[in-house]
Amino acid sequence: MIVKGVANAVKEENGVRFYLAPLEGITTFIYRNLYRDMFGGVENYFTPFIAPVSGHHFKNRDKRDILPENNEGTPLVPQILTNNASDFLFAAKCFQEYGYHEINLNLGCPSGTVVSKGRGSGFLAYPEELDRFLDGIYTQADVAVSIKTRLGIEKHEEFLEIIKIYNKYPIYELTIHPRVQKDLYKNKPNWDMFERALEISKNPVCYNGDINRYEDYERFRERFPAVDHIMIGRGIIADPGLVRQIQTGQTLSDSERLVFVQRLCEEYDKIMPGEPTLYKMKEIWSYMCRNDSDGMKLWKKIKKTKKLSEYKNIMRSL
Ligand SMILES: Cc1cc2nc3c(=O)[nH]c(=O)nc-3n(C[C@H](O)[C@H](O)[C@H](O)COP(=O)(O)O)c2cc1C
């Protein structure tokens, strides 16, 4: 059993440490490495979920994403999605052999295909099985296991029972995204329930959800001054300078943003030339363009492109 200890004793200046949230298809090793190189300021980078395939192996794409040689210098926490303790232990052992010290369990994914198999947030509907599963992994894994969770399936109050289960185990860190599965990404994170969870949890808690701008961070800190771990996903994708702005006040300039997307495009183009790179870039821009009306105009142009060369022409014009 491994309990959170002194290994993470280094603190950021303002006492808060940040994690990059896992976003399937977006926070790939290409993205993570470039982000770290240009911005940093993030303590841990979580991989998008990896689901061990039956027969105990991984998809090639997932393997490439966590190989140590593709993640040099980036503090990485691999994430596993499963409801099978033996599959979890197999994957955790592999990742440990790669040199990773913490493994994250996904109990938050709300997508229909995952939930219908009783995985991700879908596992929260089966408290007895979840309890047995956690017992299996926490008694046998000799690596730190953290959990990323939602509040439940339909009602936020479900969490008051779920957290009783979590409290039985030495969870290295419990990251709470205070929405339920049915919310998907709609509605607001429930800060009242997060507050109760903070009071009840016997394990260290990290917050995740809708910290999209500096003002969101300020509001959160005002209400939760004692929470010193925050995981951010879409806010960083939309504005890769967000954490730096929080830490130093320096906002992202247009030229930095352009350099970032150009380098990202070059890196993707090396491993997946042509249309797959265009697809990746469109996905990134769909977040980056959200914040203002000029951004929306740009997004309309980017969205229409069918070839990478058309996309590159738009970038040249910026
Ligand atoms: C496109 C997309 C992919 C995601 N993939 C994952 C994933 O692989 N694993 C996971 O735990 N969460 C995943 N999430 C959830 C995010 O990690 C995060 O919990 C959620 O976006 C809320 O945080 P944010 O408001 O800071 O983005 C994903 C979210 C989105 C929008």
Side-chain angles (χ1 to χ4, degrees), residues 2 29 32-33 44-47 50 62-80 91-104 142-145 172:
I2 293 175
F29 74 97
R32 297 189 301 259
N33 291 339
N44 279 333
Y45 297 73
F46 286 69
T47 72
I50 294 172
D62 290 343
K63 203 166 166 188
R64 182 174 64 174
D65 198 52
I66 55 158
L67 279 176
E69 59 261 40
N70 289 334
N71 291 284
E72 259 169 48
T74 303
L76 198 72
V77 180
Q79 185 187 68
I80 300 175
K93 184 128 193 57
C94 292
F95 299 159
Q96 208 181 354
E97 281 165 10
Y98 282 147
Y100 301 119
H101 305 296
E102 177 187 343
I103 311 293
N104 186 258
D142 59 353
V143 61
V145 180
Y172 188 66

Side-chain angles (χ1 to χ4, degrees), residues 34 37-38 258-268:
L34 180 63
D37 190 40
M38 281 189 66
L258 212 51
V259 170
F260 182 72
V261 289
Q262 268 165 357
R263 286 184 61 187
L264 197 60
C265 185
E266 279 164 21
E267 291 303 320
Y268 274 128

